[in-house]
Amino acid sequence: MQISKTFGLAVYVSAFKNQRPLLEKLKNTETPVFTSLHLTEEVTDSYVRDVEEMCEWLHENGFWIMADVSPLTLERFQEESLSSLSRRLHLNNVRLDFGFDLDKLKREELAVSFTYNASTLLEQGVAQENCLYMHNFYPRPETGLDHTFFSSLNERIKEKSGQILAFISGDEEKRGPLFEGLPTLEEHRYLSPYAQFIDLLKRHSIDKAFLGDIKLSNFELNLILNYLEDKLIRLPVDLPEELTYLYHETFTVRVDSPQTLIRVQESRQYAQAGKSVEPVQMMKRTKGSVTMDNILYKRYSGEVQITKKDYPKDERVNVIGQLDEKYHLLIDNLTNGERFMFIPTQ
């Protein structure tokens, strides 16, 4: 199913109990989970047993398991090979960190596929054909990848028909010790997980996006899962009571919308029959403003627009709502002819 192939979760043995409620919602969907088996801060006296129990639960409940491994991982689990470790922990894929001879591994018969570190691709040489490439996440603010470098690496991977994996940060429980989010892209760090997810899929053509943090809210999770089901971008915005009829209706971006403005194709036909749109809330239209033309705009009265840049105040235009800045990536990724929907904020 599409959900299982596109959205994934990072799981941590130290936080597994806290993550169980979120994982319960995605059981038996082959949702990918990623875990690291060489984080020194995770290691306790019961570490090996705890990892075995976590992986057993994930396996029994239908998750696709990828683990970040190093030679130290084999030593810690007292295994001679990645194959034996993978069988023991039910791993479907291993992400190879420093210390492995990649050429030797290619010649070995492995029971699982393996993933390259996409963020250090330049050090590894030319991308291999038809492989998975996972970017790192970046706990320290200001160290996440920039758009240009990220895109240049991804272009090289796509040239080799590789699949690209990356991380988004959460909004409910962030992972320590910094608790500043775990995104791949720095510009994503404090934004809505849903908006980050849409941006990775649409602007960057990512194949799988993993939540790097411990938890995300039910609101954001449902936005992601709903998008994967119907490919409809949902814009959370507070509308006045008299305009709540605009919620949950499917709208279309006019195909001739300018680059900095979303014109809603069906909006005038949704204007309440026989009721004039009186001038109210005429103010500067900052990016993310949802507007409706009033009666001073004559035949355009009732037209709804969303601004993708700042516009000045216009006495003919009412501002009826404002998309929070953390969701601005959603309108940046809405293309002409695409469908979308307004929904209430949580």
Side-chain angles (χ1 to χ4, degrees), residues 135-191:
H135 287 278
N136 295 329
F137 53 60
Y138 295 89
R140 187 198 184 283
E142 303 167 355
T143 63
L145 300 186
D146 62 71
H147 166 78
T148 302
F149 182 66
F150 186 63
S151 297
S152 67
L153 286 180
N154 293 343
E155 286 174 10
R156 293 181 61 186
I157 293 169
K158 288 297 184 182
E159 286 173 0
K160 296 292 184 178
S161 301
Q163 289 192 43
I164 305 167
L165 290 62
F167 289 93
I168 62 174
S169 58
D171 68 326
E172 186 164 284
E173 183 177 346
K174 299 190 178 184
R175 185 172 183 268
L178 298 180
F179 305 100
E180 296 268 10
L182 296 176
T184 293
L185 283 171
E186 185 58 39
E187 65 186 48
H188 283 175
R189 186 172 300 276
Y190 305 115
L191 303 182

Side-chain angles (χ1 to χ4, degrees), residues 37 67-75 77-102 104-106 108-115:
L37 298 181
D68 203 8
V69 297
S70 72
L72 180 60
T73 309
L74 296 181
E75 180 182 328
F77 283 83
Q78 297 183 328
E79 292 288 347
E80 294 184 355
S81 70
L82 289 176
S83 292
S84 61
L85 178 71
S86 298
R87 286 192 297 270
R88 178 176 169 185
L89 298 180
H90 308 289
L91 305 182
N92 302 100
N93 184 283
V94 290
R95 183 181 187 241
L96 304 173
D97 207 334
F98 56 89
F100 285 108
D101 184 336
L102 298 183
K104 179 181 178 182
L105 284 172
K106 291 172 199 169
E108 290 181 355
E109 290 294 329
L110 294 179
V112 295
S113 58
F114 56 87
T115 295

